[in-house]
Amino acid sequence: MSVRRLLLPLLLVLSLTACAEREQAESAPAGDSGDFPVQLRPEGAPAVTLDQRPDRIVSLSPSTTETLYAVGAGEQVVAVDEMSTHPEQAPRTDLSGLNPDPESIAGHDPDLVIVQSDRDGTLADSLAETGIETLVLPAPGTLDGMYHQFELVGRATGHAGAGAELAEETAAEIDGLVAAAPERAGELSYYHELSPQLHSVTSTTFIGRVYDRFGLTNIADQGDPGAHGGYPQLSAERVLEADPDLIVLADTRCCGQDADTVAQRPGWDTLTAVERDRVVGVDDDLASRWGPRLVEFVRTVSDAVRRTHG
């Protein structure tokens, strides 16, 4: 048998393999094949350049933890903070996102740490001494800011295509839920409760801007939505006087609040929202995190608005 005939099968295999590799490269989403280094520019935080794909990530932000898993970077996550309750498989530890300890964080041998805040860059400076990069992703002020963070998380982890897709799909779902609300939704007022002590949010906060998409009037604004950093404590008299059309309880898990407990408060049984069964309970986390599950909170608001004008 000639040498040429012996080489033909080998050449055929090599040719097919090369073709397959080219097809795989062409079909892979841009950025998901490891396009590093990448420069990340989060809003309200320092820019960060990652030279290579991080394989060991510590997340000290519950919202970002959810986003990491949503973009397919869950296998890269080695530790999360004590407040990162979702998803269940996230490796929860006693790490604190409010008071991060550089030494405890470094003990997990990460190559990337993601936090919500880093006052004066002290954490980033401490971790940099051991070669650990820190990415700060502050609470976004708008939905567009949240979508931008989805894309940043995707790019930072080597899942750029998935991050962009998550942003696009989430925006489309939220836009659809808002569009499904009745045109008269703008006639409604609401009270969003964070605690039984009547802490609330104004329309300047991230959650307040979600309600703004429906055109609802926030009784907590009281002529100055920026007061108290957007998180005022109302008086019972203020709520009774405003008589909101809709009450949304974001203290169901922490504090056991529901329609019955609200109706038992002095004078609250006369409120329009109570009388017409418009007191809605939501999971505390869904109403406080800027992650992919925000869609569920928006759906709850959309359904409540639709029932009110049904």
Side-chain angles (χ1 to χ4, degrees):
M1 184 179 294
S2 68
V3 174
R4 184 174 176 223
R5 291 183 61 187
L6 285 171
L7 288 176
L8 279 176
L10 177 59
L11 292 173
L12 180 60
V13 169
L14 292 174
S15 176
L16 290 173
T17 300
C19 289
E21 289 176 347
R22 283 197 302 271
E23 290 175 2
Q24 184 176 5
E26 291 171 359
S27 62
D32 286 16
S33 58
D35 289 341
F36 288 87
V38 295
Q39 186 172 58
L40 310 170
R41 297 182 178 277
E43 288 185 42
V48 175
T49 298
L50 301 181
D51 293 327
Q52 58 188 10
R53 175 184 181 271
D55 293 322
R56 297 183 61 82
I57 301 171
V58 169
S59 171
L60 303 182
S61 166
S63 298
T64 301
T65 297
E66 297 189 15
T67 303
L68 284 164
Y69 280 84
V71 302
E75 293 185 356
Q76 297 159 252
V77 178
V78 296
V80 300
D81 69 297
E82 58 189 353
M83 301 303 293
S84 288
T85 54
H86 184 87
E88 290 186 5
Q89 68 267 32
R92 288 180 65 192
T93 68
D94 58 0
L95 292 175
S96 171
L98 298 176
N99 299 294
D101 175 34
E103 186 175 348
S104 297
I105 295 170
H108 293 277
D109 192 27
D111 41 26
L112 175 65
V113 175
I114 305 178
V115 295
Q116 179 179 336
S117 64
D118 181 19
R119 185 174 299 177
D120 301 324
T122 53
L123 177 64
D125 290 343
S126 296
L127 294 177
E129 294 178 2
T130 58
I132 302 172
E133 294 285 355
T134 302
L135 174 62
V136 181
L137 295 179
T142 64
L143 286 169
D144 285 341
M146 179 182 74
Y147 304 146
H148 179 57
Q149 285 198 8
F150 291 173
E151 295 174 350
L152 280 178
V153 171
R155 293 180 58 218
T157 59
H159 302 275
E165 185 176 345
L166 178 64
E168 183 178 346
E169 290 181 351
T170 304
E173 285 191 75
I174 289 177
D175 288 347
L177 290 168
V178 171
E183 293 182 3
R184 294 174 56 201
E187 301 173 5
L188 301 175
S189 61
Y190 74 95
Y191 162 60
H192 181 98
E193 181 170 288
L194 296 177
S195 77
Q197 290 73 42
L198 310 188
H199 290 94
S200 188
V201 298
T202 70
S203 55
T204 63
T205 63
F206 177 74
I207 290 299
R209 288 193 170 94
V210 171
Y211 288 104
D212 280 353
R213 290 293 309 274
F214 294 91
L216 306 181
T217 299
N218 189 339
I219 71 164
D221 283 353
Q222 303 180 88
D224 184 9
H228 305 286
Y231 295 91
Q233 182 178 12
L234 307 185
S235 65
E237 292 74 21
R238 168 58 186 163
V239 178
L240 292 171
E241 179 185 356
D243 191 19
D245 298 298
L246 177 66
I247 295 176
V248 178
L249 303 173
D251 51 2
T252 58
R253 244 177 355 114
C254 74
C255 314
Q257 297 303 294
D258 57 26
D260 291 336
T261 62
V262 167
Q264 292 169 14
R265 299 174 184 175
W268 286 51
D269 58 332
T270 64
L271 290 175
T272 298
V274 175
E275 290 183 334
R276 300 186 182 180
D277 194 26
R278 298 176 185 166
V279 179
V280 181
V282 297
D283 183 283
D284 306 12
D285 290 343
L286 292 182
S288 64
R289 297 181 183 176
W290 51 94
R293 294 192 301 155
L294 184 73
V295 171
E296 298 177 37
F297 172 68
V298 177
R299 181 174 290 109
T300 297
V301 175
S302 181
D303 290 344
V305 170
R306 212 164 41 244
R307 287 198 305 271
T308 300
H309 279 305

